[in-house]
Amino acid sequence: MPPAVIAGLEAAGVEYEILDCEPEFADTAVFCARYGYTMEDSANAILVKSKTGAERFVACVLLATTRLDVNRTVRKRMGARKVSFADPAETMRITGMELGGVTPPGLPSDLPLWVDSRVIERPFVILGAGTRSAKIKVRPGYFLRLPQTEIVEGLAVETD
């Protein structure tokens, strides 16, 4: 795991568990099926950028059973006419992590972190670990220890 991810976990002072996984099983649905976790306890971190006005980024965390409400909630909260997912190069530049491995521990402290309110209701969540060879199991109270975190009602919507 990247040193920044470990440092981010240690700085928060919360219990966590590192779950090793084979890189080919790192995608959320495949990971859950292979290692016996539910999608309801898995969370994804997604970097979004404004496409109009000044360049701004926000990291969003949502349960794997939901999808990010990019064109309504995120766009309105960012105050932009258009927003989109950051591309792989932007994601690496802003987070230092590869697309698909972005995780809240280790994100820059000045990057806003919006967490869908459903995430906080879970007994634990499985997050990426900044790499495709591991995941992190943590209680959702972890997010409340990060100063840049905002819990957002309706950040994501249920998928069918």
Side-chain angles (χ1 to χ4, degrees):
M1 281 193 338
V5 173
I6 296 289
L9 287 164
E10 293 294 325
V14 296
E15 290 183 30
Y16 63 90
E17 182 180 349
I18 304 300
L19 308 171
D20 292 326
C21 73
E22 298 169 57
E24 62 269 23
F25 300 116
D27 292 333
T28 304
V30 177
F31 174 86
C32 289
R34 172 76 176 197
Y35 297 103
Y37 290 96
T38 68
M39 295 285 282
E40 292 83 6
D41 289 322
S42 298
N44 295 317
I46 300 171
L47 188 66
V48 179
K49 69 173 187 170
S50 61
K51 291 186 74 172
T52 55
E55 181 180 74
R56 290 187 326 241
F57 292 88
V58 63
C60 300
V61 178
L62 60 149
L63 294 177
T65 56
T66 62
R67 68 175 169 77
L68 193 60
D69 189 3
V70 176
N71 292 318
R72 287 202 332 235
T73 305
V74 175
R75 182 183 60 77
K76 287 178 184 175
R77 286 184 63 86
M78 287 186 84
R81 285 184 319 136
K82 289 186 178 186
V83 297
S84 67
F85 299 113
D87 67 34
E90 292 165 326
T91 299
M92 179 59 81
R93 176 173 57 90
I94 300 299
T95 69
M97 300 175 212
E98 293 181 36
L99 201 63
V102 175
T103 188
L107 287 177
S109 60
D110 61 345
L111 179 66
L113 179 64
W114 296 346
V115 178
D116 185 71
S117 59
R118 291 176 198 96
V119 173
I120 300 301
E121 297 169 2
R122 304 303 305 169
F124 66 87
V125 289
I126 306 294
L127 301 170
T131 176
R132 292 184 61 83
S133 60
K135 298 282 185 181
I136 300 166
K137 181 178 178 181
V138 67
R139 288 193 173 105
Y142 161 77
F143 297 107
L144 304 176
R145 293 181 168 258
L146 304 176
Q148 74 269 34
T149 297
E150 280 186 65
I151 307 304
V152 179
E153 190 78 32
L155 183 65
V157 295
E158 293 291 333
T159 56
D160 295 332

